[in-house]
Amino acid sequence: MAVDMSVRLTYVVTWREISDGLKIQLRYSPVGRWCYRVLWGLGVFLGCVIVANLLTRGIDAVGAGVWRFLLIACLLLAAFRWLTALALLGYARHLGEHRVTVDSSGIRTTTERHKHETGWQFYGRGFEGRRVFVLLTPDVWGAGVLILPKRGLAAPQDADRLRELIAGHLPAA
């Protein structure tokens, strides 16, 4: 008799889970890592330029407009992931409650407005965060993202079964 290894999740997506999934996507996709390093490098460079300018010319050398621009740029960079998650939340909420079944054949998602089935070959990597499991497509952008919230699992042992399914079908990350 075959053992049922399927895992079922039932959830309504939250902003925090989408944000966590996007953070994992940014961290583990090749382009996301590259962009992250470029932004940090640019921030360090701008910081060094400002400090050098302050040390050589004094605080009056930098006008209020420059400080406002720098503050706004920093806030937008920090809020980019949060704003993207907020935009995606509207779409996810439109779909309603998600009922997801993960088994050896793939992932089946059913919502109030659509049904979707995806085979394991669509995804290239799987990652686990504190609140979510994230599956990414193997393209350089990691554009295809599936976020599976842990709170959608019926029992704690389901997390172990889901972890085994992901590890058995996707390369170790």
Side-chain angles (χ1 to χ4, degrees):
M1 183 171 165
V3 177
D4 181 26
M5 273 297 288
S6 67
V7 176
R8 289 177 182 77
L9 297 96
T10 303
Y11 57 89
V12 175
V13 179
T14 66
W15 173 84
R16 186 72 201 159
E17 292 159 350
I18 294 174
S19 180
D20 286 354
L22 292 175
K23 181 178 180 180
I24 290 171
Q25 178 194 26
L26 184 64
R27 182 179 297 153
Y28 293 108
S29 67
V31 170
R33 286 191 305 268
W34 181 83
C35 289
Y36 187 73
R37 290 179 185 132
V38 167
L39 288 176
W40 269 105
L42 183 61
V44 168
F45 174 73
L46 287 175
C48 290
V49 167
I50 289 172
V51 168
N53 195 16
L54 290 174
L55 291 175
T56 58
R57 300 165 98 191
I59 196 142
D60 295 333
V62 181
V66 173
W67 289 112
R68 275 187 295 234
F69 171 75
L70 184 63
L71 178 64
I72 290 170
C74 290
L75 289 174
L76 286 177
L77 286 174
F80 178 74
R81 179 173 42 98
W82 297 338
L83 294 173
T84 303
L86 189 60
L88 290 173
L89 180 62
Y91 172 69
R93 290 277 169 90
H94 170 73
L95 294 175
E97 181 181 72
H98 289 66
R99 292 172 301 285
V100 180
T101 303
V102 181
D103 58 24
S104 60
S105 65
I107 300 133
R108 284 176 300 289
T109 305
T110 304
T111 69
E112 296 168 7
R113 292 185 164 70
H114 91 315
K115 292 180 182 184
H116 185 76
E117 186 169 341
T118 307
W120 284 106
Q121 65 276 13
F122 181 75
Y123 296 104
R125 303 173 302 262
F127 303 94
E128 182 176 0
R130 209 171 73 212
R131 293 180 192 88
V132 295
F133 288 96
V134 177
L135 305 180
L136 298 176
T137 54
D139 59 294
V140 73
W141 292 96
V145 179
L146 177 65
I147 301 168
L148 300 170
K150 291 181 180 180
R151 69 174 173 78
L153 296 166
Q157 63 269 23
D158 287 347
D160 294 331
R161 289 198 341 239
L162 182 56
R163 203 174 287 117
E164 287 175 28
L165 279 167
I166 292 171
H169 290 91
L170 298 177

